[in-house]
């Protein structure tokens, strides 16, 4: 259902502000991709947090779109400055908590902001080992995945969605794909031994507090580590009958082990590996030489939900790729 703004600045459903027959629908605005590196240097052993932060306000902005009146428009430049100032004044160790602080600030102090979305990518760094020990202030980027976090405040509810992307995994056997229907366009042979590879994008939503109450206190770092470990372990240990079955097994395991999560969503391409035909050269190829496919690729968008948890469409709106 479309979201429309009423005169009091509340996101309304089922009402309209029309100009002729044209209506302003869902909208948000702010500053995207504010690159922020925060060093904690209270002791000689420094810590680094490397974020790409986006701040987007939602609320009473119809006049700005319709008449050009900017009286309610907190400049995107101000939103950017607030992010940097808060990194000094109101810093939190995790992206999730820092985004909550930003969201609560904007919703609490900007009269026209009824809600919004604050999200971040987080790039990992680990200490360089030098002289046999982890260095105090020299780091090397970790390459496995990018961590993500998104806070949405809407109708008084604080939604937290954490995640990761670009986590590329492959198993060289333990994967099959058989039993699928065949029609006159089907050429794919059945296989009981293939490579299974994907680049994992996953986002998990925490069980929210009721409207008007702060999000429950959670150890976001520990949950991230647990989700990643369970994901990798289940990918490795599941004998795969399809990528879809593997994805559900991962989601089921994560929700069974982590009660603080309400649901987890995945975007996973099937990164096909085609057996190279070496017969023209008189060579056999028993699953040893593959052509790594680029495109097209299979694509699985999957939601795994804890039964009984209310859906939260606001938490997912505008998060690209998730359905
Ligand atoms: O795991 C898979 N699921 C599919 O739906 C599919 N379709 C296909 O061509 N290969 C595969 N593999």
């Amino acid at each position: 259902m479309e979201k429309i703004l009423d005169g009091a600045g509340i996101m309304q459903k089922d009402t309209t502000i029309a100009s002729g027959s044209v209506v302003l629908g869902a909208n948000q605005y702010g500053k995207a991709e504010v690159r922020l590196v925060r060093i904690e240097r209270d002791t000689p052993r420094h810590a680094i947090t490397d974020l790409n932060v986006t701040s987007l306000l939602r609320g009473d902005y119809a006049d700005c779109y319709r008449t050009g009146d900017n009286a309610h428009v907190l400049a995107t430049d101000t939103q950017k400055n607030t992010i940097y100032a808060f990194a000094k004044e109101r810093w939190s160790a995790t992206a999730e908590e820092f985004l909550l602080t930003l969201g609560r600030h904007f919703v609490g102090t900007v009269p026209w902001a009824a809600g919004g979305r604050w999200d971040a990518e987080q790039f990992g760094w680990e200490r360089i080992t030098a002289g046999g020990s982890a260095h105090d202030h020299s780091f090397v980027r970790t390459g496995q995945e990018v961590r993500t976090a998104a806070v949405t405040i809407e109708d008084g509810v604080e939604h937290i969605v954490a995640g990761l992307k670009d986590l590329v995994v492959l198993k060289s056997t333990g994967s099959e794909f058989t039993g699928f229907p065949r029609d006159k366009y089907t050429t794919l042979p059945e296989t009981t031994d293939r490579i299974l590879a994907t680049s994992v994008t996953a986002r998990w939503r925490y069980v929210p507090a009721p409207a008007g109450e702060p999000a429950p206190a959670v150890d976001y770092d520990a949950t991230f580590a647990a989700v990643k470990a369970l994901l990798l372990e289940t990918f490795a240990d599941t004998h795969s009958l399809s990528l879809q079955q593997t994805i559900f097994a991962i989601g089921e395991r994560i929700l069974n082990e982590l009660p603080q999560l309400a649901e987890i969503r995945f975007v996973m391409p099937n990164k096909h590996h085609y057996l190279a035909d070496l017969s023209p050269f008189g060579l056999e190829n028993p699953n040893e030489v593959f052509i790594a496919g680029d495109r097209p690729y299979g694509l699985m968008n999957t939601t795994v939900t804890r039964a009984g948890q209310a859906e939260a469409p606001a938490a997912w709106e505008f998060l690209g790729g998730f359905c």
Side-chain angles (χ1 to χ4, degrees):
M1 203 176 294
E2 270 194 337
K3 293 203 178 122
I4 311 293
L5 305 176
D6 76 1
I10 310 298
M11 288 288 246
Q12 292 293 318
K13 299 169 175 124
D14 291 330
T15 60
T16 57
I17 293 173
S19 162
S21 59
V22 177
V23 170
L24 177 66
N27 62 87
Q28 56 184 2
Y29 84 100
K31 196 67 105 190
E33 303 210 44
V34 179
R35 292 286 287 111
L36 163 66
V37 175
R38 175 65 156 93
I39 306 292
E40 285 163 83
R41 45 184 305 153
D42 299 339
T43 72
R45 193 165 181 82
H46 293 182
I48 180 170
T49 308
D50 186 350
L51 299 178
N52 194 23
V53 180
T54 293
S55 168
L56 296 164
L57 305 185
R58 304 172 186 170
D60 180 8
Y61 298 108
D63 282 351
C64 148
Y65 285 98
R66 294 176 61 228
T67 70
D69 179 349
N70 293 329
H72 293 182
V73 182
L74 186 77
T76 69
D77 193 63
T78 306
Q79 294 179 52
K80 178 255 299 172
N81 290 345
T82 307
I83 291 167
Y84 286 118
F86 273 32
K88 171 66 180 163
E89 290 179 332
R90 300 180 60 181
W91 180 241
S92 313
T94 67
E96 288 87 348
E97 289 158 320
F98 185 59
L99 299 177
L100 267 173
T101 302
L102 286 168
R104 288 170 182 164
H105 163 76
F106 287 118
V107 172
T109 63
V110 179
W112 313 285
R117 156 75 50 73
W118 294 270
D119 71 53
E121 297 172 322
Q122 181 169 359
F123 309 107
W125 294 89
E126 64 187 25
R127 294 181 192 282
I128 292 176
T129 301
S133 61
H135 202 270
D136 277 349
H137 57 260
S138 298
F139 303 86
V140 59
R141 268 283 285 273
T142 53
Q144 277 190 348
E145 80 280 328
V146 174
R147 182 169 165 177
T148 61
V151 168
T152 307
I153 302 179
E154 189 161 309
D155 297 331
V157 181
E158 297 179 342
H159 301 283
I160 318 282
V161 175
L164 56 78
K165 62 179 185 177
D166 302 334
L167 183 65
V168 180
V169 289
L170 179 150
K171 56 197 295 175
S172 52
T173 189
S175 164
E176 50 184 278
F177 190 58
T178 64
F180 48 88
R182 308 198 75 86
D183 66 14
K184 69 176 183 174
Y185 301 114
T186 304
T187 58
L188 186 72
E190 300 203 342
T191 175
T192 56
D193 187 2
R194 67 173 184 174
I195 285 180
L196 184 66
T198 185
S199 174
V200 181
T201 301
R203 289 192 187 252
W204 47 94
R205 181 171 63 84
Y206 287 84
V207 174
E213 291 181 23
V218 171
D219 187 335
Y220 296 107
D221 283 346
T223 306
F224 178 88
V227 170
K228 184 179 168 190
L230 290 167
L231 190 162
L232 292 176
E233 198 176 290
T234 311
F235 178 81
D237 284 349
T238 303
H239 179 90
S240 178
L241 301 179
S242 67
L243 180 55
Q244 292 93 319
Q245 181 228 7
T246 295
I247 293 169
F248 186 79
I250 293 170
E252 187 179 32
R253 177 98 189 272
I254 288 168
L255 291 185
N256 279 339
E257 303 237 354
L258 300 172
Q260 64 270 43
L261 302 183
E263 65 176 309
I264 180 162
R265 299 189 182 193
F266 300 96
V267 179
M268 289 212 207
N270 191 355
K271 294 168 77 72
H272 302 299
H273 288 70
Y274 303 104
L275 198 63
D277 179 7
L278 303 182
S279 61
F281 322 119
L283 297 172
E284 293 197 347
N285 186 9
N287 273 359
E288 289 175 332
V289 180
F290 293 86
I291 301 164
D294 174 14
R295 61 195 84 171
Y297 48 86
L299 184 62
M300 318 305 171
N301 294 112
T302 314
T303 302
V304 186
T305 308
R306 187 182 302 289
Q309 276 292 324
E311 291 190 5
W316 299 99
E317 197 177 28
F318 303 118
L319 283 181
F322 287 86
C323 63

